[in-house]
Amino acid sequence: MDNRSVTALRRVDLARATGCNLETIRYYETVGIMPDPPRTAKGYRSYDDAHVRRLKFVMRSRDLGFSLEEIRGLLGLVDDRSQTCAQVQAVAEAHLEDVQAKIADLTRIERVLSETVARCTGDAAPECAVIDALLEA
Amino acid sequence: MDNRSVTALRRVDLARATGCNLETIRYYETVGIMPDPPRTAKGYRSYDDAHVRRLKFVMRSRDLGFSLEEIRGLLGLVDDRSQTCAQVQAVAEAHLEDVQAKIADLTRIERVLSETVARCTGDAAPECAVIDALLEA
DNA sequence: CTTGAGCCTGTATCAACTACAGACCGTAGA
DNA sequence: TCTACGGTCTGTAGTTGATACAGGCTCAAG
């Protein structure tokens, strides 16, 4: 039957539906990323499809490297679609620049590391290219 | 005369000589990355050029993305050069793979973000390409 | 009726720092 | 000599983004 998944989802169901860690859901609630969900008579959290969509949004944003602070901003724009698209664009563009800077950094690191490893003899020698590369400022 | 910098360095001098944050020096001491330095009669830490070199090594390694745990391993090999170069090479190679994986991830993110931002009109429209891209799982 | 899975809360832990409070010290200039 | 400033010390708390655990409650299947 499984029509439970259409409406009343338990926390573990939300976790499974989104791939989010169980504890992280509660964490997102305490930090205001996810809303306080309605509760059953016994105090159990009860989620629906809107929660699934929102949490997927959050997880996708996290996956793209947005901070929770940035996601809070994006969610505000999602919650109030009367805001301008330009604001969203600005956040995304700033983030894009961050990502590009990180790629540049890592590419430099990658070059240094691969060059260094290539110089390694693998011997039990007293000198070592990796150590030497790290020691030379 | 400034021949103080040749031998007895204060904590702030070590920080300036390496670009390391002042508090981080103390942190590295408590976590065993930097040795407990000798103290003056009044209990002030006293550093020398060997500390500068070691801290530069640590900072360079951090800059290349090695974790403190990995750096501890590298420092062990630096401190005891009788170890094999192959061990160092293994750490560096494992790390190189990490870095390459991170570059691949970020490149994917970069592509998604730049495509998304490009689709943005920047209008005060109720629809927004960034939000839509994030909403579609 | 028992068993296992899930729920609840609060709190602790992690990396790797960073910052602050409150007290002390050391030196250069007036 | 006094004072101001910049530096030092310790311990501890806060940061981000989770993750884990303890101890107790609940629910559904067999």
Side-chain angles (χ1 to χ4, degrees), chain A residues 73-85:
Chain A
L74 291 173
L75 284 170
L77 298 167
V78 171
D79 292 342
D80 179 5
R81 295 288 285 251
S82 71
Q83 300 297 310
T84 66
C85 173

Side-chain angles (χ1 to χ4, degrees), chain A residues 10-12 16 26 39 44-45:
Chain A
R10 296 168 301 166
R11 191 150 59 103
V12 76
R16 283 170 190 159
R26 198 157 63 93
R39 302 284 186 129
Y44 283 26
R45 287 170 182 82

Side-chain angles (χ1 to χ4, degrees), chain A residues 71-120:
Chain A
I71 293 171
R72 246 184 286 270
L74 291 173
L75 284 170
L77 298 167
V78 171
D79 292 342
D80 179 5
R81 295 288 285 251
S82 71
Q83 300 297 310
T84 66
C85 173
Q87 290 176 274
V88 181
Q89 192 180 23
V91 173
E93 258 170 8
H95 185 56
L96 176 57
E97 279 166 31
D98 280 1
V99 169
Q100 286 167 342
K102 273 184 194 153
I103 290 172
D105 283 354
L106 284 170
T107 302
R108 181 181 55 80
I109 291 165
E110 199 259 328
R111 187 175 44 72
V112 172
L113 275 177
S114 59
E115 279 171 8
T116 304
V117 168
R119 279 195 288 133
C120 254

